[in-house]
Amino acid sequence: MVLFLTSITTFAQQRLTSFKNVLKENSTDIKDVIPVVNKENGNTIMFIADAKNVYGYKLNPEFQLIDKLASETKKRKYKIFIGGDIHGQDYRIFLSNTSQNKFASINFSFTNKTTSSTEFKLPQYEYFVQTIAPKNKLYLLTADKNSGNLYLYSFDKNGTPIKDKINLESTHIVGKYDRAVKIATLLTGQESVQKIEKDTPNAIETVSDPVKMYVRDGNIIITFDQNKKVTYVLNIDIESKNSSTKVYDKPLANLKSSRKKTNSFIYGDYMFGIAANKEIFSMHILDYPSGNFIKEYAVSKNEKISFKNTPIIQEGGAYNSYRELEKTKKFLRKITSENIGISVIKIAGDYLFTIGGYVNQRQGGGMMMMGGGFGAIPIGTIGSATFFFNPTMFAYNSFSNTKSTRIEGVFNDNFEHIPNKEIPENVFDKINDSKTYNETAKTVFRYKDFFIKGDYNTRTKIYHLKKFTE
């Protein structure tokens, strides 16, 4: 049974379709919804998972339901969805245990109307880092603490892992204390490696991590910001498995200060670096391919910030969820006692910069850890798939639950500040404005050049999909 709803466009929102979860017969709660978009033909599979089973619904590019298939019972130890793979008409989803050293895959053959599963385990001392899924193919990135090597796992049509080595035995970078350190050590020393999606709004919580991953033009790019003087960039060619490193100077590189905080962000052809202590803030805009300097914005504690279009906003405090700070010195004090970050996105033809920091807030005797490492994510509250498999949903959750001190500024194509211009509403703002009661099993994902929000009505067992544009 499929319910096709009349398309209604309001505030850049359009209803795409609804369908009933007729395959689900038990009364257990929905744990995750996993969208897998076929980048070749535009089909989308919506995998709806409860504690025991996974239900797959195939939609064509017009979002009409064209097929459905339920899996065999999955083992309960595999609770974390980490990605999806497509081989012809077969769709395979991958899961891990909570220790992230054992993995299972479930293959959905819509042609044969069958499902099957496989399992595999990582060797000792090898640690799971992240997933990458360009061109309908899933890769697992792992790191070996002993050898210092990285590995890329891909999978054949039967789910059998194929392991390729990225040789980094002789590659070291300078870490936090100006000492040489292996890249594998930095990756395995993180609770998480934040995956950044292009043209997706990112909250300060998301971008303030010292290690970030980007996937661009068939390459995995990982930035390391533990060192306060430079940003190290590791580039891995997914096809050849060759790697290279580059170094970018940070602002205030020669300023010695134990309270100095730094970070970076890549967007398009540009590298944005920031540095601050209690006395001064500086931002450099560099040409990413060459590393050449383009522009700097700086402010000291006794000056007004001339390159912002908002007040200094403090949001998510334990006793006051929204405050506006007047003095630059308060802004500098806040962001240098927190995890500093910068996010850049192009909206309505202009660049929107978000600059600030965040700190974990205590509420009700507990520690709020939104936006931190994967270990901080309460599975079932945000959804176990969002961090590894669906960075758009993770970014949306972080954006919607921000606990940061920040400013925002609008800049033109030459990175000249545009004063008095209103901050444009981004797509996550629009999705938040569309919230209704009784939304469960929600997901947000990117489809071509727009975003889709899905939510489930547990009473009717109907799943709704809505389209959102900038």
Side-chain angles (χ1 to χ4, degrees):
M1 172 180 169
V2 185
L3 304 181
F4 293 106
L5 304 180
T6 304
S7 294
I8 301 174
T9 304
T10 310
F11 303 111
Q13 168 189 339
Q14 179 183 343
R15 293 184 181 181
L16 291 174
T17 192
S18 300
F19 60 88
K20 192 162 188 176
N21 189 9
V22 294
L23 298 173
K24 181 175 171 60
E25 297 178 353
N26 60 48
S27 59
T28 58
D29 292 337
I30 297 296
K31 298 296 184 183
D32 270 311
V33 176
I34 316 300
V36 177
V37 178
N38 190 323
K39 298 177 179 68
E40 293 181 358
N41 61 23
N43 287 345
T44 302
I45 307 290
M46 300 298 297
F47 290 105
I48 300 175
D50 57 28
K52 293 182 177 180
N53 301 299
V54 183
Y55 315 97
Y57 294 88
K58 183 188 284 189
L59 309 172
N60 65 16
E62 288 72 45
F63 295 94
Q64 298 168 323
L65 182 65
I66 57 174
D67 214 340
K68 58 184 182 292
L69 185 63
S71 77
E72 60 185 28
T73 301
K74 66 180 178 70
K75 293 184 179 179
R76 287 180 178 269
K77 68 179 178 181
Y78 296 112
K79 297 181 178 181
I80 304 169
F81 284 83
I82 61 170
D85 220 4
I86 302 174
H87 290 271
Q89 296 301 310
D90 288 4
Y91 290 71
R92 185 179 295 274
I93 58 173
F94 293 80
L95 308 92
S96 83
N97 62 352
T98 53
S99 298
Q100 297 166 34
N101 62 350
K102 295 180 181 179
F103 302 85
S105 67
I106 303 173
N107 187 67
F108 288 73
S109 175
F110 286 91
T111 301
N112 299 325
K113 297 295 183 184
T114 60
T115 65
S116 59
S117 61
T118 58
E119 299 180 61
F120 70 99
K121 182 181 178 180
L122 291 182
Q124 192 176 13
Y125 304 118
E126 194 174 319
Y127 293 83
F128 174 55
V129 177
Q130 253 294 2
T131 61
I132 307 97
K135 299 181 180 179
N136 295 336
K137 189 173 183 177
L138 181 77
Y139 295 87
L140 267 62
L141 179 66
T142 68
D144 189 312
K145 270 188 174 182
N146 284 355
S147 69
N149 287 321
L150 302 186
Y151 297 94
L152 268 181
Y153 286 82
S154 57
F155 302 87
D156 65 17
K157 63 180 181 179
N158 298 313
T160 304
I162 303 165
K163 184 177 181 179
D164 289 296
K165 183 172 81 169
I166 302 162
N167 193 329
L168 293 172
E169 291 178 13
S170 59
T171 303
H172 292 72
I173 65 176
V174 179
K176 183 176 180 180
Y177 300 107
D178 292 333
R179 297 172 184 170
V181 60
K182 291 180 180 179
I183 287 174
T185 301
L186 292 177
L187 291 175
T188 55
Q190 292 290 122
E191 282 190 340
S192 63
V193 174
Q194 196 68 250
K195 190 159 50 176
I196 304 296
E197 272 201 338
K198 187 178 184 296
D199 294 325
T200 296
N202 285 288
I204 292 299
E205 289 86 341
T206 305
V207 298
S208 63
D209 277 8
V211 181
K212 291 184 281 292
M213 175 187 288
Y214 308 77
V215 180
R216 297 157 52 104
D217 303 322
N219 293 275
I220 301 167
I221 296 170
I222 305 176
T223 57
F224 300 90
D225 278 296
Q226 288 88 347
N227 189 276
K228 295 182 180 181
K229 297 177 182 178
V230 294
T231 296
Y232 286 89
V233 178
L234 172 66
N235 188 91
I236 301 169
D237 185 295
I238 296 173
E239 191 66 32
S240 70
K241 313 302 185 294
N242 293 329
S243 67
S244 61
T245 56
K246 294 181 73 173
V247 182
Y248 295 81
D249 291 333
K250 289 184 175 179
L252 308 178
N254 296 321
L255 179 64
K256 294 181 179 180
S257 170
S258 60
R259 292 297 299 271
K260 184 172 70 173
K261 297 292 182 71
T262 67
N263 216 316
S264 70
F265 190 81
I266 299 172
Y267 185 79
D269 290 329
Y270 305 99
M271 164 74 81
F272 304 88
I274 57 171
N277 65 9
K278 287 184 177 182
E279 306 293 322
I280 190 170
F281 167 87
S282 177
M283 173 176 68
H284 283 183
I285 302 169
L286 307 178
D287 177 72
Y288 175 70
S290 68
N292 291 339
F293 175 84
I294 296 175
K295 195 178 284 289
E296 178 185 23
Y297 284 93
V299 64
S300 66
K301 68 175 183 179
N302 295 320
E303 297 175 322
K304 289 188 176 181
I305 304 172
S306 62
F307 48 90
K308 65 181 177 68
N309 295 67
T310 64
I312 300 169
I313 298 169
Q314 181 179 332
E315 199 165 16
Y319 303 106
N320 190 347
S321 62
Y322 182 94
R323 289 177 59 200
E324 293 182 3
L325 308 179
E326 294 184 4
K327 296 185 180 296
T328 301
K329 66 179 182 181
K330 287 189 177 181
F331 175 69
L332 295 179
R333 189 175 71 243
K334 284 285 184 182
I335 67 172
T336 54
S337 65
E338 302 176 351
N339 302 287
I340 195 171
I342 174 172
S343 174
V344 181
I345 191 170
K346 203 164 192 180
I347 301 178
D350 295 319
Y351 289 97
L352 175 63
F353 286 40
T354 304
I355 302 164
Y358 92 100
V359 67
N360 295 329
Q361 302 285 342
R362 289 191 177 274
Q363 287 187 348
M367 183 71 76
M368 295 296 293
M369 298 183 70
M370 302 293 293
F374 177 76
I377 304 171
I379 294 175
T381 302
I382 297 179
S384 57
T386 61
F387 184 77
F388 294 111
F389 180 64
N390 188 357
T392 300
M393 183 61 179
F394 189 84
Y396 168 74
N397 277 314
S398 296
F399 186 89
S400 303
N401 297 281
T402 183
K403 299 180 184 300
S404 63
T405 303
R406 68 189 187 279
I407 58 171
E408 294 180 281
V410 183
F411 298 77
N412 64 19
D413 281 342
N414 296 319
F415 296 110
E416 296 164 335
H417 178 241
I418 307 173
N420 303 317
K421 185 154 187 178
E422 187 175 343
I423 297 294
E425 187 179 38
N426 68 45
V427 69
F428 289 165
D429 292 320
K430 297 169 185 176
I431 292 173
N432 275 339
D433 291 344
S434 73
K435 281 183 179 178
T436 58
Y437 293 107
N438 300 321
E439 288 184 353
T440 61
K442 185 165 66 177
T443 188
V444 176
F445 63 100
R446 191 175 188 91
Y447 182 90
K448 296 183 179 179
D449 61 347
F450 58 88
F451 292 80
I452 294 175
K453 185 190 85 167
D455 60 78
Y456 187 65
N457 187 308
T458 54
R459 184 179 59 83
T460 63
K461 291 189 177 182
I462 293 175
Y463 203 82
H464 304 274
L465 294 175
K466 297 176 184 177
K467 170 183 175 180
F468 291 83
T469 56
E470 296 286 2

